[in-house]
Amino acid sequence: MDPFATGREPFIQIAGVIDRVEAQMLGEEGVHFLGFPLRLAVHKEDLSEEEAADIIRNLPPEHRGVVITYLTDPLEISSFLKKMGTRSVQLHAPMAPAALRELRRLRPDLWIIKSLIVRGDDEARLDREATDLGEWVDAFITDTYDPATGATGATGKTHDWSISEALVSRSPRPVILAGGLNPANVAEAIAAVRPAGVDVHTGVEGCDGRKDRLAVRAFVEATRSAYAALEIDT
Ligand SMILES: O=C(O)c1ccccc1NCC(=O)[C@H](O)[C@H](O)COP(=O)(O)O
């Protein structure tokens, strides 16, 4: 399945799934890519690996469980994905082209999203990363660096969208936009960046830290309308 094929639903990923009830609710609201951050650098996991594997194994066929991780060793990534019962991975740590090439050699069956972390003044570096890594991955995701915490994911902060927009126009692979998106700004972000898809974590959470159904619904509706408007525009 090509998640970016035209005529399909827009690509929407929601990260930080907490349990089976939340996974089911996200599916009911039209979110088919569910992100499970595990083996991380800065953050604490929302659930155990066993709980995540159990949810992923029981997802309906049209849904995809995406493991989001800071692992960088190809063998370790491969065996971790087998343990988790998925072939979809978002690699969030810096990685050398040789490591990604080796992962692809070991596991041609994987669907690999690679992060491109926007730090502010680094357009040339990001362009180079996209060029050097593009051969070995299926998509990129731009995300925000937070200098206050050192975090590069789930920051709830936007970055300079013109940097993501430039990557979208030059990248050899589809680029998903993440970082500080929410129901109120996602349409503006899509119009500005024209990404292949969008991703959100904290922007659809309620005060209790769980995904809020109404916020998820508003995010999905705003995303669908924004992509429909883009099609009329182009
Ligand atoms: O989602 C996490 O908990 C996470 C933790 C550490 C690294 C990456 C992580 N997620 C990656 C994502 O794809 C998030 O959805 C993305 O960073 C957006 O988060 P937010 O700014 O809160 O919408």
Side-chain angles (χ1 to χ4, degrees):
M1 157 180 59
D2 175 4
F4 305 112
T6 47
R8 286 187 55 82
E9 279 276 299
F11 177 98
I12 303 174
Q13 176 170 275
I14 296 198
V17 177
I18 284 178
D19 57 23
R20 214 191 256 233
V21 172
E22 192 167 279
Q24 181 169 342
M25 180 275 280
L26 294 174
E28 286 164 4
E29 296 301 330
V31 178
H32 296 158
F33 291 80
L34 309 185
F36 294 83
L38 294 162
R39 302 202 186 178
L40 303 171
V42 171
H43 294 78
K44 200 176 146 312
E45 283 76 10
D46 293 306
L47 73 185
S48 72
E49 293 177 4
E50 289 67 32
E51 287 164 332
D54 180 55
I55 296 170
I56 291 171
R57 289 217 165 78
N58 287 292
L59 287 174
E62 70 276 20
H63 293 185
R64 213 182 265 194
V66 180
V67 165
I68 299 169
T69 183
Y70 280 79
L71 292 178
T72 56
D73 178 71
L75 275 173
E76 210 181 330
I77 294 167
S78 173
S79 68
F80 185 44
L81 293 176
K82 282 181 189 155
K83 172 181 171 187
M84 299 309 298
T86 183
R87 287 181 292 169
S88 301
V89 65
Q90 179 174 321
L91 298 169
H92 222 72
M95 279 184 78
L100 278 166
R101 186 179 60 220
E102 176 59 8
L103 179 62
R104 186 54 92 195
R105 190 191 66 75
L106 278 174
R107 296 290 308 276
D109 59 322
L110 293 185
W111 190 69
I112 303 174
I113 307 176
K114 177 70 190 74
S115 65
L116 296 172
I117 304 301
V118 180
R119 290 168 193 267
D121 54 352
D122 46 4
E123 275 190 71
R125 173 186 58 83
L126 291 170
D127 264 351
R128 221 174 21 252
E129 271 186 55
T131 306
D132 291 351
L133 306 180
E135 189 173 349
W136 318 111
V137 306
D138 296 283
F140 290 109
I141 185 165
T142 57
D143 208 340
T144 306
Y145 171 66
D146 183 354
T149 60
T152 57
T155 63
K157 297 192 172 169
T158 56
H159 52 262
D160 178 351
W161 286 339
S162 70
I163 296 178
S164 281
E165 184 204 1
L167 281 165
V168 167
S169 64
R170 294 197 283 254
S171 164
R173 295 289 180 200
V175 177
I176 300 158
L177 176 68
L181 299 180
N182 59 52
N185 69 7
V186 68
E188 191 192 339
I190 290 167
V193 176
R194 296 176 170 245
V198 288
D199 164 284
V200 60
H201 180 161
T202 54
V204 290
E205 280 178 354
C207 312
D208 58 357
R210 296 183 66 84
K211 306 291 176 301
D212 178 83
R213 184 186 283 272
L214 293 182
V216 170
R217 188 172 298 166
F219 188 89
V220 170
E221 281 172 8
T223 298
R224 285 180 179 154
S225 305
Y227 275 108
L230 273 192
E231 271 177 35
I232 292 164
D233 223 30
T234 48

